[in-house]
Structure formats: C-alpha cells, structure tokens
Amino acid sequence: MIRKSVGFMPERRVRSAVAAVLLILGLRPGLPAPGESDETRGIAWKAVGPYGGDLRQVVVDPLDADTLFVSTGDGKVYRSQDGGKNWVLPHGGLRQSRFTVDALLADASPQRLVFAGTWSTGLDHRGGVFRSSDRGETWTELPGMSGHAIRALAQCAAEPSVLVAGALDGVFLSQDFGESWSRISPVGHPEIRNVESVAVHPRNPKVIFVGTWHLPWRTADGGANWERAGSRETGMVDDSDIFSIMIDHHEPQRMFMSACTGLYESTDGSRTWSKIRGIPSNSKRTRIVYQHPTRSKTIYAGTTEGLWRSTDGGTGWRLASSRTLVVNGLVIPREAPDRVYVAADGVGLLLSHDSGSNFQPSNFGLANRSVAATAADPETFSRLYAGLLHEGSERALWVTDDEGASWRIASTGLTASDVFCIHTSPGKTVRVLAGTSQGLFRSTNRGGSWSPWGGVPAGADNGAGTRVGSGRTRAPGSTRARAETKRLGRAGAAAPEPLRDHIVQIAPDPFRPAQLLVVGWKGLYRVDESTGSAVRLYRCPVGVRALTVAGGTFEASGRLWLGTSQGLLESDEEGKSWRPVPVFGTGPHAIQAIEISAGSPAALLVGTDIGVVRKRAGSLTWERRGGGLPPISVSCITIDPANERDIWVADQKRGGLYLSRDDGDTWHQVDTGFAGDRIWSLRFLEDEPWRILAGSIGGSLYLGRRDVKPDAEGGANDD
C-alpha cells in the first residue's frame, strides 16, 4: 500500500510521519506532554532550520543591550539574551497562529515589560495587546484591547506608563502600563482609522501623532481634539500610507514620516513637510525611518528595496544593503551603538557590528518559514532536503549536508516559488524529484541543479474518462484512446507536453514497479520513473482540485483512492475508471489525507476539512471519529511503524497534533512545543524509521530520533 506522510503535500517513500510528532514530545526533555505516558518519550528532538524567514519587528531591552525580541507574521515573539547569536521561543511564549505581530515594544521603565500588538490575517479584523512581565516567558492578553486589530504601539519616554495603540478601528490610550484603555479617537471617524503607525512626543504625553492608510493626524490634548498633520497643501503627497513616525529625541520639532510615497521631514512639528531626496524613486516605499540613539545625524530608512543610511541628517544617502532586501524593522542598542539589527522578509534577522556597513544573518534557533516538503538522501545519511512555500523561486528548496548545522539554497533551475513535495530514488545516480507550483522538476546531482521533467504525449487525450458519475467511464488505454495514439504515431512523434500543474504529491505506484503516482491540482498522473513519460489517470472537473492519493489491497486488490476538494473517488482497476464514494451524508468535503491502518480489522482512514472518518474492512458504513478529536482540518494522517495502533493527525488550520492509541477510537491532543505547530510535512524515514522529519508552517524543519529503533517486523530493539 502507499504510505503517506502528509495529506495534500507529501511524498511517500516513507511510512508516514506524524509520528514525527513523537519527536515533538522530546522538544521539552523530561516533560511528557499532557496525558502522555513514558512510552512516547525517549525521542531526541531538535529544530534544524533552515533558519530565518519573514520577520516583522525587532526591539531591544532598553536596560540590556544583549536582550532582543523579534516578531513574526505567524503570531510569535522570539527572544535572544546573547545579542542575537541564539534565539528561543519560550514554551509559554506568545504563539498567536494566524495573527501578525507588527507592533512590538520593550518597556523603558524598571518593570521591563514587553508589549505585543496583534492583528488577524483573516477578514474578521480581530487582534489585541499582549504583555509579558518576565522577558517573554509568558504573556497575558490585556482585556481592554481584546478584539481590536493592533497595527502599532508607542510609549512616552517622559512618562513610560503612557501607551498608545493604533488599531484598524481607531486610537487607544493607556496611562497605567496597559492595565486599562480608553478610546481617544472619535467613534466612526472617516479618516482616523486603519492606523498603521503612532508616536508620542518624548516630553509631552498629550501630544500624539498617528499615521493612517491615507494621511497623518495629530492631537495636542490627549485625543480631545484632532487635526490633520500632513496633506498636499503642507507638502505631503495625498493618499500616503504612513508606515512609521520618528520624532527627533534631541529636537522634538523635527520629525520624519515614512510612507508608500517616500520619506518626509518636518522642522516645525508637522505643520509643513518637505520630501527627502537622495533615495531612488523605485525605493520610495519606506517601511521604517529610524534615528541612531546616540548619533542624532545618522538616520536609517528601511525600504522595500534595501536599507539606506544618512550620516548628515538626511541630506545624503547611501545604500547599506542589497536592493533586494525588504526591511520591516530596525533597532540599535544605546549601549552598543555600532550594532544594527534589521528584521526583513526572507532572510530573517541581519546584524551589523559596524553601524550598517556590513551585515550577516543572525538567526540560529529563529525560524519563520513554511516547510511543506521534507526528504532525506537515500545514500548520504546527513543530507536533508526542505521544500518551502512563499519564498520565491530563488529560495524555494534548501539542502543541508550535516543534519541542519548549515544550509545552502539549492534552487538553481527551479522556476517555481512553492515546493509541495520531494521524492528521492536511490541508485547509481540519486534522482531527486520536486513537485512544485510549476510542475515536476528533477535533479540528478542531489539538488545542485534542476530541470523540468515529466510530460504527457503532445495532443493525446490523457484525460479520457475523467467525468465521474454513477457509472464507469472510458479510461486511457481504451479502444478510442489507442486509435488516437496510432494516429499521432503516423503523424510523427511530438515532444511530450510538460505537466504544467501544481504537483502536491509523488508516490510510488503500489502495483507497477518503476512507476510513480503524481497528484496535481488538475488530476492524477502515472509517470515512468526513468523516462518521465506520463499518462493522466484522472482529470479534475472545473472548480475541483486533486489533493492526495493512496493505494493498496484494502478490501480488494488494485484499488486506488483519490482525495479531491469535493470528495473521495475510488478505482478498482488501478485508475482505469473511477466512482465517487459518499463519505458524508450531506455536502462535499475536501479529502486531504488517506491512510490504511493495520488494525484488526483493517480500516481506511480519511482526513477531511472537518475531521477524520473511518471505514472498517467489510463494513458498508463510514464512522466519524471524534472521541476527543475536535472538528479539525486534517493535513496528515500517520501511523507509527513501531506500533500500528498509534495514529497521529495534525490540524493545518488552527494548529495542533492529536494521537490515538487504539486505532482511531479515541484521541487526545499532544503538546508538541514546536515553534510552528501547524504540521504539514511529517515522515518516518523508510530505511531509518527511528529518524523522523517534520515540516511546519511558521517554523522550520524538525529532526528527531528514537532511543529505541523499530525492527523489520515493526517491533523494537535497543541497538
């Protein structure tokens, strides 16, 4: 049978891996997860990268130059206490998956509080303000701001108890370190909303500036009255999104505002503005403007096309980074004035020890990547592959030769920005296949370079029989399809047409040696592993996506199951014909994972967008398995090769991992401790089932080992 490691993005040469999840348990050595017994422990677990990713903000503890905090777009706040050399996400730290932390503030008072503002990445405009009193170990949501989508936070230097929060629905003020809040912007004001930035006068807490998605506003009396603080009439381009506001700490009448239209300076407290020259117009989208804490004439501008630095107060500018760098945040410790920390997209945190002349990544332990695909090299034990999402084609695939101690980008020749699955084939020449958003790619030099691979015969109708109804349908290989093939042969052979599809799964064909089953959003293909020649077994109707495939001898030989966004399909003839399988009584549901358990009797387990269903061998009915399992969106179903009654499932939507010890009858949630708890790519390695790989969304690749290795029969031994 085919074993799958992740629902709609896996490759299965492996037995399935959420048992990788077992590993997860080892993340907190000596502390079993809630409800777990000792038999699930004994797994050495570590995050192995690739580190970095998209970061939103970075701040430094004003009382300790070596303590820093960074935030991510997946709702997490990491901490370093050695100047950025090493990073941790505390076990009780902030983990607001599906929220973005754009607002991060380290308190300058002796209390050393840390504040984080969040906003939902959905359409519900939720969020809130969280506070930590123990340097990020634990966090408490402040009730006065619950439900508000927070985009910015600021503190008054003269009165640190005064905080201002900018939200999508207005401006809010606290005068007691966040214990209580009050709205200070008019309810329903057509302009003072969608607040992206805030600043408080360093000497007068009643003077507050806010930047919106349109233009800036100002109050001089704590919010009782507001006036526009910039417009076309005063020198600022109309419809400027104000990303950041900087008030000169030596001369508060001097201000800078950064916007989508560039960088602006005022010398009269925002009454008039002049546009800063010297930064090219294509780099004008300036996310942050920052004044050096001890060198008042040194100004930094972080743009979507690089970091720029001025040492003369903003008159002249020099590019201090690559033009490809997208800067989101920047901080310089007052007590270490030559250090510059930059939070950026893709590369994570960059650190300079010479005021910004040279930068190096500083991300060990810090990862906010989406690892959708994982694989181990079949010949080289320490070589691992990681396929990423949303990184761009230049960073879509990574390779490590030392189990994560170091990584290199291995995307030469890839033209796709997303890698959904990876398949490795042993032999004289190790072949690696990558399923991507642009089709199949192959590497014959272990990821050194890639080229498009696989295709269907030009002009051939390999989608015959793709309409699925109550009856059987004609398949490729039928009389009409063979006649078409002969016609094409007489006309002369044409080059195969590439598989231009989102390839989300590559699996060995359980019935045909040297053949692969390849799942793309548009359908299911059978591909010759040597030549790449493909035949389409199923073509998805318009509006339907194929997501996962499984096969085996459950109830009948030669049976395949195909999961789609609209339900489950079944074939008794190795894909020659298909019929729908009514898993639920009403309504179509996405089938995202399929697995066959080896219980007595055996069972077909199907993971859907609302939970797990099961069909026992010989039964005519499907059971909804919900004993302790909430209605989750299942990303994977994995059976532990050491104990096949142990079944793991992961929730791709809200995050979380669930374990059943009784073949799926009852479940409990496992506290994994992963930085990224939305597990999408999980696998026991086929030849080394004591090693487990787990890829996460909003985290990294995780590698774990059992202390006890399963033997060939699925038992265990101590060697």
Side-chain angles (χ1 to χ4, degrees), residues 58-69 80 104-115 132 135 155-157 160 163 177 290 293-294 331-337 339 341:
V58 56
V59 297
V60 64
D61 185 336
L63 303 179
D64 180 0
D66 287 333
T67 297
L68 296 106
F69 303 89
S80 173
L104 196 59
L105 190 154
D107 175 32
S109 77
Q111 296 186 65
R112 302 178 73 175
L113 303 171
V114 186
F115 297 87
S132 174
R135 295 190 180 189
Q155 183 179 43
C156 179
L163 302 173
F177 292 101
Y290 187 90
T294 62
V331 73
I332 300 172
R334 177 177 290 274
E335 302 305 320
R339 291 190 213 161
Y341 296 92

Side-chain angles (χ1 to χ4, degrees), residues 287-302:
R287 293 276 301 150
I288 182 171
V289 56
Y290 187 90
Q291 183 180 35
H292 195 287
T294 62
R295 304 163 191 163
S296 60
K297 288 189 175 296
T298 298
I299 310 292
Y300 296 85

